[in-house]
Amino acid sequence: MNSKNLLVTKGLKAFVADFEILHGIDLAVGEREVVALIGPSGCGKSTFLRCLNRLHEETEGAHVEGSVVLEGIELYDRKSDPVALRRRIGMVFQKPNPFPSMSVFDNVAAGIVLQGVKNKSVLQEAVERSLRQAALWDEVKDYLDRPGTSLSGGQQQRLCIARALTVKPPVLLMDEPTSALDPISTAKIEELVAHLKEQMTIVVVTHNMQQASRISDRTAFFLYGNVVEYGATREVFTTPKNRKTEEYITGRFG
Amino acid sequence: MISRDLKSRLMVALCYALLALALVPLLSILYTVISKGLPALSLDFFLKTPVPVGEAGGGIGHAILGTLLLILMASAIGVPLGLAMGILLSEYPKRKTARALRTVVEVLSSVPSIVVGLFAYAVIVKPMKGFSAHAGAVALAIVMVPMIARSSEEMLKLVPTSVREAGLALGLPRWKVILKIVVGGSIGSLIVSVLLAVARIAGETAPLLFTAFGSQRWFQGLNQPIASLPVTIYNYAISPYEDWHEKAWGGALVLIVLVVGLNLFVRMMWTKRRSTRS
Ligand SMILES: Nc1ncnc2c1ncn2[C@@H]1O[C@H](COP(=O)(O)OP(=O)(O)O)[C@@H](O)[C@H]1O
Ligand SMILES: [Mg+2]
């Protein structure tokens, strides 16, 4: 864990119409740290994640208040461009969502191709690098022309991770990336996270307590739009300070 | 009590009976058109224009070419417009313009095609003082646009929201996400929407009656009347001449082959796409 804070939110509130989903979240994420977000369904974990790459505001009637600072720059500044910012924060979704009718190669290359990169060898290198990082290269290197949707669920999810890595974001957001996957695929993705954290910062939402304790350095417990507890993962799981946290991780509610 | 087995057999039998019932009109149309139209077909039929009544020979090549030209021109107007509307309806459904557009498209698709023809007559033929190919093309395009708009909207809506979000999350501007990922990823099904609309206008007669009108000669220019298969079939069929009746059947056969062929082609493409996906 590094002491330097890469991503800091202050008083972050999220709304859809008049409904306040997040009630002012203060959270700091260090460089090359894995932070797990846990908590019962509907407490605002996904919404929080979507505020970090300004995706929440793409929802009809949604808006955000408060501050998110990435590498010293305020994301919600008037002058800040959400499109440019999203290249610095990758995202992986709950359900694998490869681009339809695109080959494995085109899926992985999409982020830079659609930004105007045309050079074949640059693209080939980038695709191979991302697929290797996502531990998928060996499985798909002979099938790069097949549709991305033809892969298995677990492979599709790693394809989506590779796709996010191609634009080389320093931060990766993952929203329950393994909840739709079988145990073997889940283990692969957990292993992947352990490797990726050497180069990047990861914020991951999970419903799986064992997963949170296996892969994260710090854990934040969300409840009803607030962060109730945030600390080193081992401490949160062994000696939680808040009674609600303890009840949740021992499975008494949620 | 009737056994379960018997019940399910009865259901299967009923399904077959209904299928047979549905096939009766289709097959009898095909049989009639083929048996009456086939004798009319010859090389001249496709390559020549009509000869004066009483003389033998001649063909309706001008009408076949005319229909192809009208389809091409109507598509040049109707396909981009229809697709643009479909994209607006699917990607920005909450916008005021999209809501207004939805109403317009729904009303437009329920307007009888003869009225579309009258409309084109009033706004194009009248002011320009003459029947013309482009009046016909505009009338056909008006029939085409709401069809394409609605079906392409449905096709684009099949793309999950999370795919759009994945595009945005990669740092792509929304217009690129829409054009390259949503539309680009739906190309196959959008082609299907377009081809079905083409098959539909290929056989439209009413919009052409007071617009393209008809002609006995090859293409004379965009501002001149132009022959088409459906209108020629109509004119020949109501004529008193035996030879013209036969040519009308021949024209009907060509039209059916064109439309049914296009339909089957689309269906094959569609099932092929389905099977490669799953
Ligand atoms: N687009 C939306 N419209 C209305 N309410 C929403 C929307 N998105 C999320 N919410 C509400 O915000 C709350 C938090 O949702 P979410 O962030 O998805 O929770 P979690 O990921 O922790 O399960 C829920 O009560 C949900 O109903
Ligand atoms: Mg969620």
Side-chain angles (χ1 to χ4, degrees), chain A residues 50 53 55 58 60 83 86-87 89 91 93 97-101 111 114-115 163, chain B residues 94 159 162-163 165-174 176 180-181 185 273 277:
Chain A
R50 294 161 61 88
N53 64 350
L55 205 54
E58 298 287 342
E60 187 72 27
V83 171
R86 290 185 195 127
R87 291 176 199 160
I89 305 192
M91 189 167 210
F93 296 76
N97 51 2
F99 295 142
S101 312
L114 296 181
Q115 279 172 39
R163 178 177 70 190
Chain B
K94 297 270 167 69
V159 177
S162 92
V163 164
E165 289 182 340
L168 290 175
L170 277 183
L172 302 171
R174 189 170 273 275
K176 264 192 194 171
K180 306 283 176 152
I181 295 171
R273 286 179 55 75
R277 272 200 190 163

Side-chain angles (χ1 to χ4, degrees), chain A residues 16 19 21 39-48 59 175-176 205 207:
Chain A
V16 170
F19 181 58
I21 300 172
S41 297
C43 64
K45 306 178 297 294
S46 296
T47 305
F48 177 73
T59 307
D175 193 353
E176 301 186 37
V205 175
H207 264 132

Side-chain angles (χ1 to χ4, degrees), chain B residues 25-67:
Chain B
L26 179 64
L27 291 180
S28 47
I29 288 174
L30 281 179
Y31 173 75
T32 317
V33 172
I34 291 172
S35 62
K36 298 209 174 190
L38 221 43
L41 300 191
S42 65
L43 207 56
D44 280 358
F45 182 84
F46 290 96
L47 298 180
K48 296 226 161 123
T49 55
V51 290
V53 180
E55 282 178 36
I60 58 166
H62 67 308
I64 298 172
L65 178 70
T67 274

Side-chain angles (χ1 to χ4, degrees), chain A residues 8-254:
Chain A
V8 182
T9 76
K10 282 222 175 69
L12 186 66
K13 292 183 174 182
F15 302 80
V16 170
D18 291 335
F19 181 58
E20 190 176 301
I21 300 172
L22 299 175
H23 310 302
I25 308 277
D26 300 317
L27 204 81
V29 179
E31 206 174 315
R32 277 175 243 160
E33 180 177 35
V34 177
V35 169
L37 310 181
I38 61 170
S41 297
C43 64
K45 306 178 297 294
S46 296
T47 305
F48 177 73
L49 219 54
R50 294 161 61 88
C51 288
L52 301 182
N53 64 350
R54 295 190 59 173
L55 205 54
H56 179 65
E57 66 203 53
E58 298 287 342
T59 307
E60 187 72 27
H63 80 280
V64 176
E65 289 172 12
S67 144
V68 178
V69 173
L70 172 67
E71 298 176 311
I73 297 165
E74 171 61 55
L75 303 189
Y76 283 96
D77 197 272
R78 264 165 202 269
K79 280 170 281 175
S80 150
D81 171 18
V83 171
L85 134 79
R86 290 185 195 127
R87 291 176 199 160
R88 320 217 2 92
I89 305 192
M91 189 167 210
V92 176
F93 296 76
Q94 187 168 354
K95 270 210 209 135
N97 51 2
F99 295 142
S101 312
M102 275 196 204
S103 66
V104 169
F105 186 97
D106 290 346
N107 260 285
V108 180
I112 52 176
V113 167
L114 296 181
Q115 279 172 39
V117 176
K118 289 200 182 79
N119 186 304
K120 268 262 168 69
S121 62
V122 170
L123 291 177
Q124 257 152 12
E125 265 169 47
V127 166
E128 178 169 348
R129 182 182 54 86
S130 297
L131 284 171
R132 280 189 192 282
Q133 271 185 305
L136 188 58
W137 174 253
D138 291 329
E139 288 162 60
V140 301
K141 62 171 187 279
D142 298 323
Y143 310 107
L144 295 176
D145 291 335
R146 292 221 184 136
T149 44
S150 68
L151 301 178
S152 75
Q155 290 174 325
Q156 284 189 24
Q157 191 63 303
R158 278 177 285 148
L159 179 70
C160 292
I161 294 174
R163 178 177 70 190
L165 295 176
T166 311
V167 289
K168 297 189 184 169
V171 181
L172 189 62
L173 311 174
M174 306 175 104
D175 193 353
E176 301 186 37
T178 61
S179 66
L181 304 184
D182 60 89
I184 293 174
S185 304
T186 300
K188 279 194 178 142
I189 288 187
E190 287 184 14
E191 211 174 298
L192 186 57
V193 169
H195 280 293
L196 288 176
K197 69 174 282 198
E198 288 166 15
Q199 308 154 42
M200 61 200 316
T201 302
I202 296 172
V203 184
V204 53
V205 175
T206 176
H207 264 132
N208 181 330
M209 296 304 114
Q210 282 83 26
Q211 182 170 72
S213 60
R214 278 194 299 266
I215 63 177
S216 69
D217 302 305
R218 280 199 281 180
T219 296
F221 176 54
F222 275 67
L223 194 60
Y224 310 132
N226 289 302
V227 171
V228 173
E229 184 155 354
Y230 183 39
T233 297
R234 190 174 312 157
E235 280 160 31
V236 171
F237 279 96
T238 53
T239 54
K241 294 192 183 68
N242 190 295
R243 203 168 49 82
K244 285 282 178 198
T245 316
E246 188 180 350
E247 285 177 12
Y248 181 71
I249 58 181
T250 53
R252 260 175 283 168
F253 85 98

Side-chain angles (χ1 to χ4, degrees), chain B residues 106-218:
Chain B
E106 269 162 23
V107 170
L108 205 54
S109 62
S110 65
V111 172
S113 56
I114 186 92
V115 178
V116 171
L118 282 173
F119 167 78
Y121 177 81
V123 302
I124 303 178
V125 176
K126 263 281 178 114
M128 296 182 75
K129 300 197 171 55
F131 300 113
S132 63
H134 46 230
V138 167
L140 290 181
I142 296 175
V143 176
M144 218 177 178
V145 162
M147 275 191 81
I148 296 182
R150 294 176 104 186
S151 59
S152 61
E153 178 196 359
E154 294 307 316
M155 301 298 178
L156 295 176
K157 276 186 176 162
L158 293 178
V159 177
T161 309
S162 92
V163 164
R164 295 178 179 80
E165 289 182 340
L168 290 175
L170 277 183
L172 302 171
R174 189 170 273 275
W175 67 268
K176 264 192 194 171
V177 171
I178 291 173
L179 285 187
K180 306 283 176 152
I181 295 171
V182 179
V183 174
S186 313
I187 282 294
S189 39
L190 293 177
I191 291 176
V192 170
S193 324
V194 166
L195 289 182
L196 286 176
V198 167
R200 159 80 192 276
I201 63 160
E204 280 287 347
T205 320
L208 297 176
L209 285 174
F210 347 96
T211 53
F213 189 64
S215 150
Q216 298 281 72
R217 294 185 288 171
W218 291 105

